[in-house]
Amino acid sequence: MSVYSPRLARLIDALRRLPGVGPKSAQRMAFQLLDRERGAARTLAQALTDALEHIGRCPSCRMFCEGGDCRYCTPARTASGHLCVVEGPADLMAIEAGTPYRGRYFVLMGRLSPLDGIGPDELGLDQLQAQLATGDVRELIIATNPTVEGEATAHCLAEIARAQNVAVSRIAHGVPVGGELEYVDGGTLAHALSGRRQV
Amino acid sequence: MSVYSPRLARLIDALRRLPGVGPKSAQRMAFQLLDRERGAARTLAQALTDALEHIGRCPSCRMFCEGGDCRYCTPARTASGHLCVVEGPADLMAIEAGTPYRGRYFVLMGRLSPLDGIGPDELGLDQLQAQLATGDVRELIIATNPTVEGEATAHCLAEIARAQNVAVSRIAHGVPVGGELEYVDGGTLAHALSGRRQV
Ligand SMILES: [Zn+2]
Ligand SMILES: [Zn+2]
């Protein structure tokens, strides 16, 4: 018999599946939600249900998108001629929040990692290639993480762009090598972006 | 304008209200739930809704309780004549999981803290007094945390028990002073419980 009653056990299990949450934290969260934070629990349940129902993926940039038009695929952004490729949504958010860049994005939702079965198909590279083929993109800015896998991904992206005669740049290594883009401050990111170089 | 779309912003805000979750973790949780863990998100929403609807408080021990009978207020536990007072649900769980104690409990849901407006009423001490007055309890075991506030609470509890002519004990200080009961290993807790002394 679990030390918890059935519904409490289910709640704690569900909380444990959140990233970075261990058994003790999950228990603490459950008790707090059931004790002083019942309103917060209700809000969270509703926010989750609502998000699952209404947040999907933009078919063009692959970023999370609610209903109608994607906020990152506007005509103004398309007109900039810039397309910035990032590994994940958090990287996109970091660039939006910390730099003046307002071009378009392409979110890989991962990075090349053959050992994990993540290849060009999983990252939507054929879709990216099709976008470059339209001629709307003047410059592809590669903002994958400066890690081994991120660099391998960048190399592959650069080849795709060259094959379509699209200029390619890589954000400058103001970003600490081996670090994760998502945790870099806005100033460093802005510097890295403006110091990008042709590859 | 928020950098997030409205529903995404609401989800991240709701996740931030979980204990120990900062803005970066909340964003990471939201992205992961919407990307690879949509099933987990659904499960969590359902578990929260279900828990809010069905988990209440036992009117007797004040522990979380689902529907019908409280699993900690059984006749067998009452027959033991022991009533163990803890500050919170996590302390009860730690004693249940780590010691052979199978008497009853009384969960204060806090500790005396006049500066925070937490007095005897908030901790249900009148309710505890009524239970001691029935004569069912032979010994009140005080397992509040060995912190300043926990000791003040213990002092107050001991006075209530003495006024009802109920024997009182305090769990032994095998528990590191200044520490939190919930994080102590079961062996130490069992030792502290068996080494309890009359106060
Ligand atoms: Zn888009
Ligand atoms: Zn009970």
Side-chain angles (χ1 to χ4, degrees):
Chain A
M1 181 173 92
S2 164
V3 290
Y4 304 111
S5 57
R7 286 190 180 84
L8 188 54
R10 275 202 292 278
L11 177 56
I12 291 172
D13 284 349
L15 288 164
R16 274 202 66 180
R17 292 181 63 184
L18 293 171
V21 175
K24 280 281 181 194
S25 316
Q27 179 187 278
R28 179 176 282 265
M29 285 175 177
F31 288 162
Q32 186 161 321
L33 288 170
L34 288 170
D35 178 21
R36 285 155 297 170
E37 301 278 3
R38 294 179 80 92
R42 218 174 307 276
T43 303
L44 178 54
Q46 186 53 49
L48 284 164
T49 306
D50 196 44
L52 286 170
E53 191 173 341
H54 292 102
I55 299 182
R57 287 283 171 71
C58 169
S60 179
C61 69
R62 296 164 49 108
M63 181 59 178
F64 298 123
C65 178
E66 303 187 12
D69 298 326
C70 174
R71 51 163 55 194
Y72 304 112
C73 292
T74 59
R77 285 177 184 259
T78 302
S80 77
H82 290 112
L83 183 66
C84 179
V85 185
V86 293
E87 292 183 14
D91 303 323
L92 182 157
M93 296 310 316
I95 291 175
E96 279 290 303
T99 83
Y101 178 79
R102 291 299 178 263
R104 283 180 57 204
Y105 291 95
F106 189 86
V107 183
L108 298 170
M109 291 288 176
R111 56 189 98 175
L112 284 181
S113 180
L115 292 177
D116 301 317
I118 301 176
D121 285 356
E122 285 68 28
L123 303 181
L125 297 191
D126 47 346
Q127 190 183 336
L128 176 65
Q129 190 163 29
Q131 289 184 26
L132 298 182
T134 63
D136 281 349
V137 180
R138 278 188 295 108
E139 180 183 353
L140 186 77
I141 303 172
I142 303 176
T144 55
N145 283 313
T147 57
V148 173
E149 288 173 338
E151 291 295 351
T153 309
H155 183 77
C156 179
L157 290 165
E159 282 187 351
I160 291 170
R162 280 196 206 95
Q164 301 290 334
N165 289 311
V166 171
V168 199
S169 58
R170 178 96 174 89
I171 60 169
H173 282 289
V175 181
V177 174
E180 298 277 330
L181 209 74
E182 134 179 35
Y183 293 104
V184 172
D185 65 277
T188 309
L189 263 179
H191 184 83
L193 204 72
S194 71
R196 67 184 183 269
R197 56 188 167 71
Q198 202 96 19
V199 290
Chain B
M1 179 174 92
S2 163
V3 289
Y4 303 111
S5 58
R7 287 191 178 85
L8 187 55
R10 276 202 292 279
L11 177 57
I12 292 172
D13 283 351
L15 288 164
R16 275 203 64 180
R17 293 181 62 183
L18 294 171
V21 176
K24 281 279 182 194
S25 317
Q27 180 187 277
R28 178 177 284 264
M29 285 176 177
F31 288 162
Q32 185 161 322
L33 288 170
L34 288 171
D35 178 19
R36 283 155 299 169
E37 303 277 4
R38 294 178 81 92
R42 218 175 305 276
T43 303
L44 177 55
Q46 186 53 48
L48 284 164
T49 305
D50 196 45
L52 286 170
E53 192 173 341
H54 293 103
I55 300 181
R57 288 282 172 69
C58 168
S60 180
C61 69
R62 293 164 51 108
M63 181 59 179
F64 298 123
C65 179
E66 302 186 14
D69 298 327
C70 174
R71 52 163 54 194
Y72 304 111
C73 292
T74 60
R77 287 177 183 259
T78 303
S80 78
H82 289 113
L83 183 67
C84 179
V85 185
V86 293
E87 292 183 15
D91 303 325
L92 183 157
M93 296 309 318
I95 291 175
E96 280 289 304
T99 84
Y101 178 80
R102 291 299 177 266
R104 282 181 58 205
Y105 291 96
F106 189 86
V107 184
L108 299 170
M109 290 288 176
R111 55 189 98 175
L112 286 180
S113 181
L115 292 178
D116 302 316
I118 300 177
D121 286 355
E122 283 70 27
L123 304 181
L125 297 191
D126 47 347
Q127 190 184 336
L128 176 66
Q129 190 162 30
Q131 290 183 25
L132 298 182
T134 64
D136 282 348
V137 180
R138 279 186 295 109
E139 180 182 354
L140 186 77
I141 303 172
I142 302 176
T144 54
N145 284 312
T147 57
V148 174
E149 289 174 337
E151 292 295 351
T153 309
H155 184 77
C156 179
L157 290 165
E159 282 186 350
I160 290 170
R162 280 196 207 94
Q164 302 289 335
N165 290 311
V166 171
V168 199
S169 58
R170 178 95 174 89
I171 58 169
H173 283 288
V175 182
V177 174
E180 298 279 329
L181 210 72
E182 134 180 34
Y183 292 104
V184 173
D185 65 276
T188 310
L189 263 179
H191 185 84
L193 205 74
S194 71
R196 67 185 184 268
R197 55 188 169 68
Q198 202 98 17
V199 289

